[in-house]
Amino acid sequence: EASKAGKAFSASRVSGRMRKDVYQRVKTFSQTEECKNNLDEYQLHFVKSALNDFERAGLALADEDGEKLKMLLEKDAAVCAEFGTNLGSDDTKLFFTPEELAGCGDDFVKERLGKDEEGKCTITLKYPDIIPIGTNCE
């Protein structure tokens, strides 16, 4: 259930960023004298940033290209959600000696030492293990 909800949420985020009607209103407003002459620096920056975000999302594209981009973004969101689900349910364990984890820090090594094999550190493929290893391990 949580996985389905996550996929639905990701898809709705894509749809929300692809609201051409909102983009058109922001674009129209950005070209008005009110916007150009009456907004302070921060407000003007906000309008320009919102417009840039919409355009980076592909809303300045032709309708056909925009639909193609929306489809690709939705597919990407679904694949990312599935990846997260798969990673969360993965139970792979790898075993390393403390020497093989040189550079990872004493606390990191101590937390994982002897959990499953004597004298070895248990490492999973989950973020709390992989990120420090990829960043710090010599």
Side-chain angles (χ1 to χ4, degrees):
E1 287 300 314
S3 174
K4 287 180 186 176
K7 288 178 185 177
F9 178 72
S10 294
S12 72
R13 287 183 58 219
V14 170
S15 295
R17 283 183 269 158
M18 300 299 284
R19 295 272 314 265
K20 202 157 199 162
D21 60 325
V22 176
Y23 164 66
Q24 287 299 334
R25 287 183 178 167
V26 172
K27 183 177 179 183
T28 300
F29 177 73
S30 73
Q31 297 167 346
T32 64
E33 291 303 314
E34 178 185 357
C35 180
K36 293 176 184 175
N37 299 326
N38 296 337
L39 298 184
D40 64 33
E41 184 179 336
Y42 175 77
Q43 292 168 326
L44 191 57
H45 173 75
F46 178 80
V47 171
K48 287 179 180 179
S49 293
L51 196 56
N52 286 337
D53 287 345
F54 281 122
E55 290 173 354
R56 274 194 298 273
L59 292 174
L61 296 172
D63 287 343
E64 184 179 319
D65 292 334
E67 284 302 313
K68 187 175 181 180
L69 177 62
K70 182 179 177 181
M71 181 190 71
L72 291 170
L73 290 172
E74 287 172 352
K75 186 174 182 179
D76 179 63
V79 168
C80 287
E82 185 175 348
F83 173 77
T85 300
N86 291 343
L87 187 60
S89 63
D90 183 80
D91 60 358
T92 300
K93 292 181 180 179
L94 305 170
F95 305 100
F96 296 93
T97 64
E99 293 77 26
E100 291 174 311
L101 297 174
C104 286
D106 294 336
D107 289 341
F108 179 86
V109 171
K110 286 178 189 174
E111 289 172 4
R112 290 154 179 81
L113 188 61
K115 278 186 169 180
D116 295 295
E117 284 191 22
E118 190 63 35
K120 298 252 182 158
C121 297
T122 302
I123 303 297
T124 68
L125 298 180
K126 297 190 183 343
Y127 293 117
D129 291 345
I130 291 299
I131 299 298
I133 289 173
T135 304
N136 304 317
C137 194
E138 298 170 4

